[in-house]
Amino acid sequence: MIGKIKKGSGFKGCVNYVLGKEQAALLHAEGVLAESKQDIIRSFCMQTEMNPGLKKPVGHIALSYSVVDAPKLTDEKMIQLAQEYMREMKITDTQYIIVRHQDREHPHVHIVFNRINNNGKTISDSNDMYRNEQVCKKLKEKHGLYFAKGKEQVKQHRLREPDKTRYEIYTAVKNEIGKSRNWQQLQEQLTKKGIGIQFKHKGQTDEIQGISFSKGEYTFKGSEIDRGFSFSKLDKYFGDAGLTTAGSNKQTITAQTQEPAINKSDNSLLAGLGGLFSVSSSPVDETPENSDLRKKKKKKRQFKL
């Protein structure tokens, strides 16, 4: 069971949408004349006049269920679940309609309600996204409904960019993470699939604090693909599994972003840097000539001061 909540300013467009779909069925109506779409719209609009200051009086909720639950989701059950959901969300004492759609494989209904209740007061939408998640979980457990885990129910062929690429990266990382013993192996396997890994460092240090994945023209942070794909969680996986972590394999995974190390034993290279590094480890010879030169330079500096 998944709930999606939206708010709007006009009942006409929302009502026409939910009732205009092919095979749309009005399951229940409360507080509105339901003879026609026009009657429903007019009823909603009349009540908004009680609180004209509210700019978005339209409440629209889509409640979707897994195809696994389809056999037991009769119209009566859908009404019951919708009404329980509204009570738990504190959407009470107001006008609403419940409409069932048949245009998808999964069962779902649309609830259109008036955010101005029967007393002219505004129905609060404070923290409604968080409350929606909690209520769906509660009803799922109470009624024994199936809650699809993660992205397993995504219809990939329906996705558009950039979601299509994001899901392709998700699938590839999910499949390869269990086959890789360290970051290097994961990187190599993803490269074969056209997916690159970039590590974000803290300032100019070697400390890694983030990760992103790219394919084609799209780049996503690890957490944007999946909560479990942040750098800290992926690196913890390698550590918990007793595998090579980023911390102990830093040179491998940061090879793309590290500058080549300077070989201090290469005198010709150091000489070419204009004497920034001392080639000789012994002190400068204190010959008489050098000693006199040092004294002259010292006197010159003292004069300038």
Side-chain angles (χ1 to χ4, degrees):
M1 179 180 181
I2 298 175
K4 293 184 179 179
I5 306 175
K6 294 182 180 180
K7 294 176 284 290
S9 58
F11 280 102
K12 182 177 180 181
C14 189
V15 171
N16 282 333
Y17 168 75
V18 299
L19 289 174
K21 285 280 188 177
E22 187 177 354
Q23 294 184 324
L26 178 62
L27 301 185
H28 186 78
E30 187 73 29
V32 297
L33 295 174
E35 296 297 321
S36 66
K37 287 188 291 186
Q38 289 70 29
D39 287 334
I40 294 173
I41 295 168
R42 191 177 300 112
S43 298
F44 277 130
C45 291
M46 287 178 64
Q47 186 149 305
T48 61
E49 295 176 3
M50 298 172 66
N51 188 350
L54 185 62
K55 301 302 181 183
K56 292 186 176 182
V58 181
H60 179 196
I61 301 168
L63 294 179
S64 302
Y65 305 87
S66 170
V67 293
V68 176
D69 294 321
K72 59 184 175 183
L73 289 176
T74 62
D75 288 348
E76 290 74 19
K77 187 66 175 180
M78 296 283 259
I79 295 172
Q80 177 191 354
L81 288 167
Q83 291 176 332
E84 279 194 52
Y85 173 89
M86 292 177 69
R87 286 194 297 270
E88 293 287 344
M89 291 291 290
K90 312 259 186 259
I91 303 171
T92 58
D93 193 27
T94 192
Q95 303 166 307
Y96 67 90
I97 60 174
I98 302 172
V99 181
R100 183 168 189 169
H101 282 183
Q102 306 287 349
D103 59 334
R104 294 286 186 269
E105 296 176 2
H106 62 275
H108 63 287
V109 296
H110 291 263
I111 303 170
V112 180
F113 69 95
N114 202 328
R115 294 188 60 232
I116 300 173
N117 71 14
N118 299 333
N119 298 313
K121 296 182 179 180
T122 301
I123 295 175
S124 175
D125 61 349
S126 177
N127 297 318
D128 59 355
M129 301 304 289
Y130 171 77
R131 289 186 291 119
N132 165 67
E133 184 178 349
Q134 299 304 307
V135 169
C136 285
K137 182 178 179 180
K138 180 179 179 179
L139 293 181
K140 168 248 180 182
E141 293 174 349
K142 177 181 177 181
H143 293 275
L145 299 173
Y146 179 80
F147 208 147
K149 298 177 182 179
K151 301 173 177 63
E152 64 185 59
Q153 294 295 318
V154 171
K155 303 293 189 299
Q156 189 172 356
H157 64 278
R158 291 181 179 173
L159 295 177
R160 297 181 180 179
E161 296 294 5
D163 292 329
K164 185 176 184 294
T165 297
R166 181 188 288 114
Y167 192 78
E168 289 173 352
I169 295 174
Y170 164 78
T171 303
V173 176
K174 179 184 176 183
N175 291 338
E176 297 301 331
I177 189 70
K179 304 175 185 177
S180 303
R181 295 192 55 80
N182 51 45
W183 279 103
Q184 183 181 10
Q185 288 184 8
L186 177 63
Q187 197 168 29
E188 290 172 352
Q189 293 304 313
L190 291 179
T191 299
K192 295 177 182 178
K193 298 178 181 293
I195 298 172
I197 298 180
Q198 296 80 40
F199 295 90
K200 179 182 178 182
H201 293 77
K202 185 176 181 180
Q204 300 300 317
T205 69
D206 288 339
E207 181 182 347
I208 300 173
Q209 61 179 185
I211 187 172
S212 61
F213 298 88
S214 61
K215 184 175 183 180
E217 60 182 301
Y218 300 105
T219 299
F220 307 96
K221 294 179 181 178
S223 57
E224 291 177 337
I225 297 173
D226 188 86
R227 294 178 186 176
F229 290 173
S230 66
F231 172 74
S232 60
K233 290 185 177 179
L234 287 177
D235 195 49
K236 185 176 183 297
Y237 162 77
F238 285 130
D240 289 345
L243 307 177
T244 305
T245 67
S248 62
N249 199 27
K250 192 171 293 182
Q251 289 184 347
T252 300
I253 67 171
T254 61
Q256 297 177 351
T257 57
Q258 294 292 324
E259 293 293 333
I262 296 175
N263 184 356
K264 293 187 178 181
S265 64
D266 190 343
N267 291 350
S268 61
L269 174 61
L270 295 175
L273 292 175
L276 291 176
F277 299 91
S278 176
V279 176
S280 174
S281 59
S282 61
V284 178
D285 293 336
E286 286 293 330
T287 62
E289 292 80 8
N290 286 338
S291 178
D292 293 339
L293 182 61
R294 285 175 179 273
K295 290 178 181 179
K296 289 180 181 180
K297 287 184 177 180
K298 184 175 181 181
K299 289 180 179 180
K300 189 175 183 180
R301 285 197 297 268
Q302 290 175 347
F303 177 77
K304 287 183 178 180
L305 292 174

